[in-house]
């Protein structure tokens, strides 16, 4: 057991078969966790068990396998509620992930509640998933988008502007809990409280936070919260949307089809209450079951422990990157989440990531789906290393060594 850690990195790594491989002749260093996390064997086993023993459609068949599949699916909903401390399982709707969750809110809530002349408040650091759906809503309704400014390379929200921005015209404030491009941890509870005092509905994009730090929707005081299963050690194609009961009441169905109806006539239909009203068609049953296993796995390590570990790796990497002349490191110097985004003079981020891959180090380079933020910072792209609990300080040393070699080659 590592002295500073409440869990064993080595034991955690042993649960991830994918990490035991070489890439281009080097032991893999997987530092692209903000894009997607790896999956422990417990999750892979839950998927295998489901397909080997329990596979059936949910809520439909009155037979043993369907009963088991339904029980597993609904238990996963309950587990998600517990994971984010929602008061009841009915407050959780399964989606394909953060992107679909936000689109669901924009359509099913926004189309009813947003009118021409209303304002929707976002921040300058939003992922395209928390920007484009609101642009589309603004086009449909005639609403206007406003943005909380980002301070510059240190990547903080300029909170002094918030009092002027939170006007009665603002109907929704949607923001990232943790920025995927900067590593900034936004004061989500404070932002929700200030919006709530002004009568404004809030949406928290928890794509980068849900699996990395404790997330409690009641403590945050948000109206909506979205996250993706694949970033929290779960399968791809599954995610969740939380909403307060009064918000679900305000929403019309997102999609129509089987499962979401109470009664259907040729002339019209009536709907089930939430959450089923928002889950038309056969859902991703195995995904939900795999996600349940992932949440159990994370909570057994403890999200406080994960956050502390990720932050320690990010602080170490941030400091080490300071040795490169002319480097720009984005996001706050202190208190950053588990990722470091940077720009090295003379090396395009794509070249850097391609060269790092040849050394077995998996990074991400590009605009990270935050193109307007890149333009604001005056760069086309950055390189990004993003960490998780199975990463080690020794891997950060490998990464820094790779950057040294790349820097030497290009400069
Ligand atoms: N960011 C990254 O490499 P989906 O694709 O729906 O699971 O998540 C979208 C999303 C929304 N908000 C934030 C803050 C995100 O970081 C992401 C996904 C990945 O940074 C892929 S672009």
């Amino acid at each position: 057991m590592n002295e500073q850690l409440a869990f064993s990195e080595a034991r955690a790594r042993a649960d991830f078969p994918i990490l035991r491989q070489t890439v281009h002749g080097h032991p893999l260093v997987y530092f692209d966790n903000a894009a997607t996390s790896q999956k422990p064997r417990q999750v892979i086993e839950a998927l295998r068990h489901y397909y080997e023993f329990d596979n059936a459609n949910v809520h439909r068949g009155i037979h043993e396998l369907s009963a088991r599949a339904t029980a597993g699916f609904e238990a996963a909903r309950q587990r998600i509620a517990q994971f984010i401390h929602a008061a009841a399982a009915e407050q959780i709707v399964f989606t394909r992930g953060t992107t679909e969750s936000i689109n669901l809110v924009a359509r099913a809530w926004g189309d009813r509640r947003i009118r021409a002349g209303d304002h929707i408040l976002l921040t300058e650091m939003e992922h395209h998933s928390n920007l484009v759906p609101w642009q589309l809503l603004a086009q449909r309704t005639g609403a206007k988008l406003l943005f909380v400014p980002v301070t510059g390379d240190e990547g903080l929200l300029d909170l002094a502007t918030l009092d002027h921005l939170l006007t009665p015209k603002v109907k929704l404030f949607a923001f990232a809990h943790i920025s995927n491009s900067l590593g900034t941890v936004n004061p989500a509870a404070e932002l929700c409280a200030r919006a709530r005092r002004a009568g404004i509905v809030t949406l928290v994009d928890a794509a980068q936070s849900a699996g990395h730090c404790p997330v409690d929707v009641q403590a945050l005081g948000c109206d909506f919260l979205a996250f993706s299963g694949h970033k929290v050690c779960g399968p791809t194609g599954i995610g969740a949307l939380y909403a307060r009961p009064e918000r679900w009441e305000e929403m019309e169905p997102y999609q129509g089809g089987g499962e979401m109806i109470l009664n259907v006539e040729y002339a019209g239909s009536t709907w089930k209450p939430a959450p089923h009203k928002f889950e038309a068609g056969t859902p991703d049953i195995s995904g939900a079951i795999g996600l349940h296993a992932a949440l159990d796995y994370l909570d057994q390590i403890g999200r406080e422990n994960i956050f502390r570990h990720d932050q320690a790796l990010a602080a170490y990497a941030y400091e080490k990157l300071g040795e490169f002349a002319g480097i720009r490191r984005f996001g706050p110097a202190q208190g950053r989440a588990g990722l470091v985004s940077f720009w090295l003079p003379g090396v395009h981020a794509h070249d850097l990531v391609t060269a790092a891959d040849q050394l077995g180090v998996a990074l991400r380079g590009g605009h990270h789906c935050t193109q307007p933020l890149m333009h604001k910072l005056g760069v086309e792209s950055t390189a990004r290393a993003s960490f998780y609990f199975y990463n080690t300080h020794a891997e950060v040393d490998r990464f820094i060594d790779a950057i040294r070699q790349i820097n030497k080659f290009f400069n």
Side-chain angles (χ1 to χ4, degrees):
M1 175 86 76
N2 185 319
E3 273 173 13
Q4 275 134 31
L5 293 175
F7 66 96
S8 156
E9 275 166 350
R11 207 177 318 139
R13 286 182 76 79
D15 288 330
F16 290 80
I18 202 166
L19 298 176
R20 291 194 290 275
Q21 63 178 294
T22 53
V23 168
H24 304 303
H26 303 274
L28 169 65
V29 172
Y30 185 77
F31 279 176
D32 198 15
N33 293 287
T36 199
S37 67
Q38 297 303 347
K39 323 301 172 198
R41 59 183 169 73
Q42 290 83 345
V43 169
I44 299 166
E45 174 56 26
L47 293 171
R48 194 193 60 78
H49 185 277
Y50 169 73
Y51 279 121
E52 225 169 277
F53 296 101
D54 300 335
N55 177 51
N57 213 327
V58 290
H59 303 134
R60 290 169 169 80
I62 311 173
H63 58 76
E64 171 63 20
L65 294 193
S66 176
R68 273 192 238 148
T70 304
F73 184 67
E74 291 303 329
R77 193 193 304 279
Q78 183 69 52
R79 186 66 182 84
I80 292 169
Q82 187 196 348
F83 189 73
I84 58 170
H85 200 221
E90 292 69 41
Q91 296 169 5
I92 307 298
V93 162
F94 283 111
T95 64
R96 286 193 295 122
T98 308
T99 303
E100 191 179 44
S101 294
I102 296 172
N103 277 278
L104 195 163
V105 177
R107 278 282 179 186
W109 183 83
D111 281 354
R112 286 195 78 198
R113 309 298 293 193
I114 302 291
R115 302 264 173 276
D118 285 347
H119 291 174
I120 298 166
L121 183 60
L122 307 173
T123 83
E124 285 182 343
M125 64 172 78
E126 296 314 309
H127 188 278
H128 297 165
S129 292
N130 198 27
L131 169 58
V132 181
W134 307 120
Q135 290 176 337
L136 292 170
L137 176 63
Q139 278 169 20
R140 290 196 298 277
T141 59
K144 188 176 165 193
L145 302 186
L146 301 176
F147 299 89
V148 182
V150 167
T151 52
D153 284 10
E154 69 183 333
L156 296 170
L157 290 180
D158 183 356
L159 295 181
T161 63
L162 212 53
D163 282 333
H164 310 292
L165 286 168
L166 293 174
T167 66
K169 282 196 158 185
V170 177
K171 296 293 176 285
L172 175 79
F173 180 22
F175 60 89
H177 191 180
I178 290 178
S179 157
N180 69 316
S181 287
L182 301 164
T184 311
V185 185
N186 287 319
E190 182 196 335
L191 297 181
C192 289
R194 286 175 72 173
R196 200 161 183 77
R197 278 201 294 278
I200 296 163
V201 168
T202 49
L203 180 146
V204 176
D205 172 350
Q208 296 296 344
S209 61
H212 291 264
C213 63
V215 168
D216 177 332
V217 289
Q218 296 184 56
L220 288 174
C222 56
D223 287 276
F224 297 105
L225 182 134
F227 76 95
S228 302
H230 70 97
K231 293 191 201 288
V232 303
C233 289
T236 49
I238 188 81
L241 173 65
Y242 156 84
R244 285 175 190 269
E246 55 267 41
R247 297 287 88 76
W248 286 130
E249 290 300 317
E250 292 168 355
M251 292 160 73
E252 282 298 305
Y254 174 50
Q255 294 176 332
E259 266 312 289
M260 47 77 74
I261 50 83
L262 211 51
N263 187 49
V264 179
E265 304 289 343
Y266 285 121
S269 306
T270 54
W271 329 124
K272 283 182 184 161
H276 302 291
K277 175 176 169 179
F278 302 98
E279 292 178 357
T282 300
D284 183 357
I285 307 162
S286 64
I289 284 165
L291 178 55
H292 187 163
L295 303 186
D296 284 349
Y297 186 87
L298 291 184
D299 277 348
Q300 173 227 318
I301 295 174
R303 275 171 284 163
E304 291 89 355
N305 295 329
I306 293 173
F307 196 45
R308 217 174 298 128
H309 175 263
D310 292 359
Q311 283 198 302
L313 288 188
Y316 183 58
Y318 184 87
E319 187 204 315
K320 289 264 174 188
L321 283 170
E323 75 175 62
F324 299 102
I327 195 169
R328 283 176 71 188
R329 294 166 293 172
F330 300 99
Q334 304 289 330
R336 63 172 44 246
L339 64 91
V340 182
S341 194
F342 59 97
W343 175 89
L344 201 56
V347 196
H348 192 282
H350 285 153
D351 293 335
L352 187 148
V353 171
T354 305
D357 178 54
Q358 291 302 312
L359 299 168
V361 180
L363 305 173
R364 184 171 176 195
H367 52 58
H368 313 294
C369 299
T370 54
Q371 225 171 354
L373 176 66
M374 295 290 127
H375 292 158
K376 158 140 187 158
L377 296 171
V379 287
E380 276 303 311
S381 57
T382 73
R384 183 187 70 186
S386 53
F387 314 109
Y388 217 0
F389 56 87
Y390 40 70
N391 293 127
T392 65
H393 282 77
E395 288 185 310
V396 175
D397 290 337
R398 281 261 325 271
F399 154 70
I400 294 293
D401 193 50
I403 303 298
R404 252 183 229 125
Q405 292 184 48
I406 294 162
N407 191 40
K408 205 164 154 195
F409 179 82
F410 280 93
N411 290 309

